[in-house]
């Protein structure tokens, strides 16, 4: 509606070409900084650029201090950025708490209506004061004046970085147009006011990004939760149940709205136990089913997951990890549920555990989970985490060649059919399947014979335990060994899983550029692990496992403990943290230097 409004002239202001920039917005959650951060990320994705975001939000309903960080680059972007190039501070506490996040020479844009610079301010940074609140009030007026300053800042940044105004206005119109004409009008008044702000009075430069390098790709810009939900649909999942909990809930909400469009259903249950039990019921009925939660909810699901392992039913369980224990840090990142995912049930309960490495991989890990659950008739746990769930990345449109249409196999079973054969894979027969032999199977949580009939025979229990375990071993030998990033030999091998992929990769690039013999592998298949990891470690003097959980009583993180147990190598060491924040590249580099000292 206003994409053609005249732009101010800043001809005298020199323009600085930049390849990438990290922009941190600091304010309160009520200010809508997540909204404008998301707008900037989506614009980058539509401009052939790479983008990765990071945000912190308060866990209290009343809200509080919040940040949204956007890393935009014309080339590859592997992390949200250790330090910010630009900081937008809405309040005094925003300024005081985040000025230290700026790199030397960085620019702090602060709201002069709420921020007063200290006399002893750090001279390493440049300070630019803008009357953000009062200018937005003047532009909008009326009762909506307090909600316009975020969009004013969006317009200001659009002008400052010479962003594609037409594309950005289109994104704003799509977002606010659904909320009514008045809301959209106020948003555009604030945007135009920010865009028209005279930069020459306060700024020393304007900035322009190098052209994006991903021109040939059909780009998608999204967050991990959304991508995973659509990955499940593409994998043929049509039935599921869940209970809301942060940060799993967006997956549930997407499935609730989308599955009916494909002839499916997703049930919001009364609690976690009902949710997983409903999903087990869908699996018993012959459908690949999904349930999910976050840390505390996964604990509640464990008994029914044990039933799914005993009954050998195809079930996908998503756990979007967050800080723990107990309610812990609901809106912060952690990777402390690995042991729970593998061993968190009574008895010997074999299940597969996978972890996506980035937002794009959330789509493909859903396909992989569905394939394994069907082929091996077993529960599969996907360990995502809070960082992947909410951050936005741009990536090529997914490969839709593996989209699967679900099938309910009710074909008659022959006279030799057994649901739990000791010498073959499980082939579950859904209720209603015709049995040509006249004998119908039983599905139970009790130990059972090949037909599912309950049995407490000691020899049979051992044989059934063996077959449930051995099919995971058969899966392991089919998994490809992880790719080595860097050289095949060197001083140290970094090992990571989950959302540590990008920071580890960038740390390796910097270390190798400095002449250090450091390489990395990343594990997507955590249980069972692929073959060949030990052969990769043979090429390195030391192995350092990078993960966001505690070193525990014995000095090793959870994956490091598993690797030490699996390969009995004393040179495997840990780099861990549990501060609720993702790994910074400098933290990994410092850990490597310490390990090699």
């Amino acid at each position: 509606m206003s994409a053609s409004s005249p732009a101010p002239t800043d001809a005298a202001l020199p323009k600085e070409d930049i390849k990438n920039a990290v922009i941190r917005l600091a304010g309160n959650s009520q200010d809508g900084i997540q909204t404008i951060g998301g707008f900037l990320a989506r614009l980058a994705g539509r401009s052939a650029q790479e983008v990765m975001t990071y945000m912190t939000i308060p866990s209290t309903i009343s809200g509080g201090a919040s940040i949204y960080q956007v890393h935009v680059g014309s080339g590859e972007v592997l992390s949200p950025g250790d330090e910010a190039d630009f900081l937008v501070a809405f309040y005094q506490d925003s300024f005081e708490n985040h000025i230290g996040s700026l790199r030397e020479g960085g620019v702090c844009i602060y709201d002069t209506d709420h921020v007063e610079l200290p006399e002893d301010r750090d001279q390493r940074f440049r300070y630019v004061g803008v009357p953000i609140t009062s200018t937005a009030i003047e532009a909008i007026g009326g009762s909506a004046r307090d909600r316009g300053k975020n969009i004013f800042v969006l317009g200001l940044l659009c002008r400052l970085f010479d962003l594609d105004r037409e594309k950005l206005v289109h994104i704003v119109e799509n977002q606010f147009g659904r909320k009514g004409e008045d809301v959209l009008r106020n948003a555009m008044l604030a945007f135009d006011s920010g865009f028209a702000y005279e930069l020459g009075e306060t700024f020393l430069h304007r900035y322009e990004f190098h052209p994006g390098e991903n021109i040939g790709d059909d780009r998608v810009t999204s967050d991990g939760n959304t991508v995973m939900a659509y990955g499940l649909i593409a994998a043929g999942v049509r039935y599921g149940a869940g209970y809301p909990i942060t940060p799993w809930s967006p997956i549930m909400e997407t499935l609730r709205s989308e599955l009916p469009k494909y002839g499916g259903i997703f049930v919001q249950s009364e609690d976690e136990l009902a949710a997983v039990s409903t999903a087990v019921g869908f699996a018993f009925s012959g459908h690949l089913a999904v349930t999910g939660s976050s840390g505390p909810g996964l604990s509640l699901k464990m008994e029914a997951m044990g039933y799914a392992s005993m009954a050998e039913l195809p079930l996908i369980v998503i756990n979007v990890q967050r800080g723990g224990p107990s309610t812990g840090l609901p809106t912060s990142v952690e990777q402390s549920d690995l042991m729970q995912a593998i061993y968190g049930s009574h008895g010997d309960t074999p299940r597969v555990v996978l972890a996506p490495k980035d937002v794009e991989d959330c789509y493909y890990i859903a396909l992989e989970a569905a394939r394994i659950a069907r082929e091996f008739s077993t529960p599969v746990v996907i360990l995502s985490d809070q960082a992947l769930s909410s951050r936005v990345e741009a990536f090529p449109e997914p490969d839709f060649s593996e989209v699967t249409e679900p099938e309910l196999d009710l074909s008659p079973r022959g006279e030799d059919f057994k649901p739990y054969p000791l010498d073959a894979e499980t082939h579950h027969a859904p209720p209603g399947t015709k049995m040509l032999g006249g004998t119908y199977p039983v599905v139970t949580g009790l130990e059972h014979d090949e037909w599912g009939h309950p049995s407490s025979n000691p020899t049979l229990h051992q044989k059934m335990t063996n077959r449930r375990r051995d099919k995971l071993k058969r899966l392991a030998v089919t998994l490809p060994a992880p790719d080595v990033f860097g050289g095949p030999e060197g001083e140290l091998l970094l090992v990571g899983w989950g959302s540590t992929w990008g920071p580890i990769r960038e740390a390796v690039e910097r270390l190798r550029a400095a002449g250090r013999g450091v390489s990395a592998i990343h594990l997507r298949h955590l249980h069972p692990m692929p073959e060949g990891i030990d052969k990769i470690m043979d090429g390195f003097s030391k192995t350092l496992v990078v993960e966001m959980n505690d070193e525990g009583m014995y000095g090793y993180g959870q994956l490091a403990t598993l690797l030490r147990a699996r390969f009995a190598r004393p040179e495997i060491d840990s780099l861990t943290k549990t501060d609720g924040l993702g790994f910074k590249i400098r933290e990994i580099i410092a850990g490597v230097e310490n390990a090699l000292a």
Side-chain angles (χ1 to χ4, degrees):
M1 57 168 26
S2 57
S4 60
S5 299
T9 57
D10 296 303
L13 204 59
K15 186 179 292 187
E16 181 178 325
D17 290 331
I18 55 176
K19 186 174 176 63
N20 67 339
V22 177
I23 305 168
R24 174 173 289 206
L25 308 161
N28 289 332
S29 56
Q30 301 95 328
D31 293 324
I33 57 176
Q34 286 83 15
T35 299
I36 60 173
F39 286 162
L40 293 172
R42 285 152 62 185
L43 176 65
R46 297 180 187 184
S47 304
Q49 292 170 319
E50 290 284 339
V51 63
M52 186 178 292
T53 69
Y54 165 76
M55 71 174 180
T56 64
I57 55 176
S59 58
T60 54
I61 295 175
S62 59
S66 178
I67 69 165
Y68 198 102
Q69 185 161 300
V70 185
H71 186 182
V72 179
S74 32
E76 187 175 37
V77 171
L78 294 171
S79 75
D82 277 13
E83 298 175 309
D85 301 295
F86 298 86
L87 169 67
V88 181
F90 283 77
Y91 303 105
Q92 191 70 35
D93 63 325
S94 308
F95 173 85
E96 294 170 356
N97 293 333
H98 296 283
I99 189 64
S101 68
L102 274 176
R103 64 166 176 81
E104 186 172 351
V107 178
C108 174
I109 303 169
Y110 63 95
D111 187 351
T112 56
D113 296 313
H114 293 288
V115 178
E116 183 176 342
L117 294 183
E119 293 183 3
D120 60 344
R121 55 185 173 272
D122 197 322
Q123 297 301 316
R124 295 176 301 164
F125 313 128
R126 300 205 309 254
Y127 301 89
V128 179
V130 177
I132 295 173
T133 302
S134 58
T135 310
I137 289 175
E138 183 180 351
I140 298 178
S143 60
R145 62 181 181 271
D146 293 331
R147 297 186 179 275
K149 58 186 177 183
N150 62 332
I151 307 301
F152 172 89
V153 168
L154 182 66
L156 179 69
L157 295 176
C158 180
R159 182 64 185 162
L160 181 64
F161 290 99
D162 199 21
L163 303 177
D164 190 320
R165 186 175 186 278
E166 184 175 353
K167 286 184 179 179
L168 190 53
V169 167
H170 182 67
I171 293 171
V172 173
E173 289 176 344
N174 283 343
Q175 175 74 16
F176 290 106
R178 298 191 297 265
K179 299 182 178 181
E181 186 176 342
D182 290 344
V183 174
L184 176 59
R185 182 180 64 252
N186 287 336
M188 292 313 307
L189 285 171
F191 180 90
D192 288 339
S193 178
F195 189 78
Y197 189 81
E198 289 295 339
L199 303 179
E201 297 180 4
T202 49
F203 288 86
L204 299 178
H205 296 87
R206 285 176 59 205
Y207 304 89
E208 183 175 23
F209 285 103
H210 292 184
E213 299 175 2
N214 300 293
I215 298 173
D217 294 328
D218 292 326
R219 308 287 287 171
V220 173
T221 306
S222 190
D223 61 85
N225 274 352
T226 301
V227 171
M228 187 172 293
Y230 283 104
L232 292 168
I233 295 171
V237 175
R238 296 294 181 268
Y239 296 92
Y243 182 77
I245 182 174
T246 301
W248 139 265
S249 296
I251 297 179
M252 182 184 77
E253 294 300 327
T254 301
L255 293 176
R256 281 180 59 197
S257 65
E258 295 300 309
L259 283 183
K261 300 176 183 177
Y262 299 89
I265 185 173
F266 192 92
V267 178
Q268 179 173 322
S269 305
E270 63 270 29
D271 55 39
E272 297 283 7
L273 281 71
V276 64
S277 298
T278 301
V280 167
F282 285 135
F284 167 71
S285 300
H287 304 284
L288 175 59
V290 64
T291 187
S293 190
S294 298
L298 185 68
S299 302
L300 292 169
K301 293 180 186 293
M302 282 300 170
E303 182 179 359
M305 288 172 64
Y307 180 97
S309 292
M310 176 64 85
E312 299 184 51
L313 298 172
L315 176 69
I316 298 174
V317 182
I318 298 170
N319 177 31
V320 186
Q321 299 169 97
R322 65 188 207 181
S326 187
T327 310
L329 302 171
T331 58
S332 298
V333 66
E334 207 164 277
Q335 293 178 309
S336 53
D337 294 346
L338 178 57
M339 289 296 192
Q340 178 183 209
I342 297 174
Y343 297 117
S345 193
H346 53 287
D348 293 300
T349 315
R351 59 176 78 109
V352 177
V353 180
L354 310 175
K357 66 181 184 180
D358 57 15
V359 170
E360 179 183 12
D361 197 34
C362 287
Y363 177 86
Y364 294 104
I365 211 77
L367 300 184
E368 177 74 346
R371 179 189 70 81
I372 293 172
R374 285 192 181 99
E375 183 176 344
F376 293 89
S377 199
T378 185
V380 178
V381 179
I382 299 177
L383 286 181
S384 181
D385 61 47
Q386 185 272 341
L388 289 177
S389 72
S390 59
R391 81 182 184 203
V392 176
E393 296 180 27
F395 50 90
E397 184 178 89
D399 178 7
F400 295 119
S401 63
E402 297 184 43
V403 170
T404 301
E405 288 296 329
E407 295 182 4
L408 181 60
D409 183 9
L410 294 175
S411 59
R413 304 303 198 260
E415 293 186 4
D416 59 346
F417 170 80
K418 294 177 182 178
Y420 304 104
L422 292 173
D423 57 354
E425 297 291 349
T426 300
H427 296 288
H428 177 62
T433 303
K434 185 175 182 179
M435 299 291 162
L436 299 181
T439 303
Y440 283 78
V442 175
V443 176
T444 174
L446 291 167
E447 187 57 281
H448 46 254
D449 62 16
E450 293 177 279
W451 275 98
H453 300 140
S455 171
S456 58
N457 180 281
T459 302
L460 183 63
H461 177 53
Q462 183 65 63
K463 289 181 178 180
M464 284 294 176
T465 299
N466 294 348
R467 73 174 303 280
R468 289 189 289 268
R469 174 232 305 144
D470 288 346
K471 65 180 178 180
L472 266 65
K473 288 188 173 183
R474 289 194 292 274
L475 167 63
V477 299
T478 69
L479 300 175
D483 295 328
V484 180
F485 180 71
E489 298 178 347
E491 301 172 88
L492 183 141
L493 178 71
L494 288 170
V495 181
W497 64 282
S499 62
T500 61
W501 179 79
I504 288 175
R505 197 176 180 94
E506 189 164 336
V508 169
E509 289 180 342
R510 295 187 189 181
L511 286 161
R512 293 185 68 83
R516 304 310 299 258
V518 178
S519 300
I521 61 173
H522 208 79
L523 301 185
R524 297 172 73 245
H525 299 86
L526 297 171
H527 187 71
M529 296 180 191
E531 302 289 327
I533 295 175
D534 53 338
K535 293 181 175 59
I536 295 173
M537 289 192 290
D538 285 341
F540 298 86
S541 301
K542 292 186 177 182
T543 297
L544 186 64
V545 185
V546 181
E547 51 189 325
M548 292 177 285
N549 51 55
D550 188 53
E551 65 180 36
M553 291 292 296
Y554 307 111
Y556 303 99
Q558 295 183 21
L559 178 59
T561 297
L562 293 172
L563 289 170
R564 287 173 65 88
R566 172 70 178 85
F567 299 113
R569 289 175 177 259
E571 69 269 20
I572 297 175
D573 209 343
S574 269
L575 178 61
T576 64
K577 62 180 287 185
T578 54
D579 58 3
L581 305 173
F583 266 102
K584 290 182 169 60
I585 296 133
R586 63 172 178 263
E587 291 174 333
I588 299 174
I589 292 175
V592 170
E593 298 292 356
N594 183 63
L596 294 176

